Amino acid sequence: MFRVLCILALAFIATSESKLHCTLPPVDIPKDWITVPDACTKAMKEQVQVELTAAMTYLAMGAHFNRDTINRPGFAEKFFKSASEEREHAMKIMEYLLMRGGLTSDISSMIKDPRPIRTSWDSAYKALKDALALETEVTKKIRNIIVVCETPTDAPDANDYHLVDYLTADFLTEQYEGQRELAGEISTLGKMIDTHGPIGEFLYDKKLLG
Ligand code: FE
């Protein structure tokens, strides 16, 4: 008897849960307000992956320089901070596309499997040079998106002024400032190593800690 009651109770729960499932039909929202050209949306989605790859690379740098065998807490802190900034860039691009209706359907192409470009470095000097090369590549990609969004192949007359302005003002400015900062750090660290040998990296790490 008890077993029968249990089966009936389970059947009742299963029926109740199925009734709770949302069965609302898809809402028919007009699409005219979505004006970002497809080629431009595609390029922006690809940039999310680029920013996440940069975030993973800086995360790997932070972890590498924080290892007990490396122990450069100043560089680790710097690279962990950069990782957070890159993740924020990815989120800013997503938020922009969400605002313009560019993510009404598929988002899987945006977040695939971002991997760091490498996971260990021979020295902080080499890591800084990798960081500058990475930022230079990211800048090139943002400039390419601007070109695509100014004259999209699928709609040559549909210059997306707002998006182009957003990328130019927000993203490119930060890229150029970041590149200059890294170039300056490579310069100073290089001189310190030339003058003091390996202890130059140790001293520069202390400087980064303030
Ligand atoms: Fe970035």
Side-chain angles (χ1 to χ4, degrees), residues 47 51 54 85-86 89 135 138 142 171 174-175:
Q47 189 61 25
E51 301 290 348
E85 287 169 1
E86 297 306 331
H89 295 165
E135 294 300 343
V138 171
I142 293 170
F171 280 76
E174 195 172 331
Q175 283 303 122

Side-chain angles (χ1 to χ4, degrees), residues 9-24:
L10 286 171
F12 175 74
I13 291 167
T15 312
S16 312
E17 280 187 355
S18 70
K19 280 180 186 165
L20 290 175
H21 287 166
C22 181
T23 54
L24 289 173

Side-chain angles (χ1 to χ4, degrees), residues 46-162:
E46 286 168 1
Q47 189 61 25
V48 172
Q49 185 74 12
V50 169
E51 301 290 348
L52 290 176
T53 299
M56 290 299 151
T57 301
Y58 282 126
L59 202 58
M61 282 183 185
H64 169 81
F65 286 102
N66 233 6
R67 290 158 64 190
D68 58 302
T69 48
I70 306 293
N71 206 33
R72 293 284 182 258
F75 281 101
E77 187 178 282
K78 170 187 171 59
F79 291 133
F80 279 139
K81 184 167 165 269
S82 299
S84 299
E85 287 169 1
E86 297 306 331
R87 181 175 164 277
E88 270 174 36
H89 295 165
M91 284 173 65
K92 276 176 76 173
I93 295 169
M94 281 186 211
E95 283 164 2
Y96 187 91
L97 285 172
L98 287 163
M99 175 186 75
R100 298 284 306 274
L103 295 179
T104 50
S105 56
D106 174 54
I107 62 165
S108 63
S109 61
M110 223 171 30
I111 308 169
K112 285 178 269 186
D113 185 20
R115 313 283 302 169
I117 56 171
R118 57 189 301 160
T119 53
S120 71
W121 287 264
D122 291 340
S123 67
Y125 182 75
K126 286 190 176 170
L128 286 177
K129 287 184 101 173
D130 271 4
L132 182 55
L134 179 65
E135 294 300 343
T136 305
E137 197 55 35
V138 171
T139 303
K140 203 187 292 177
K141 289 198 158 67
I142 293 170
R143 286 173 58 89
N144 285 343
I145 303 175
I146 291 170
V147 172
V148 169
C149 297
E150 273 184 332
T151 49
T153 48
D154 55 328
D157 298 329
N159 185 329
D160 199 314
Y161 299 104
H162 188 267

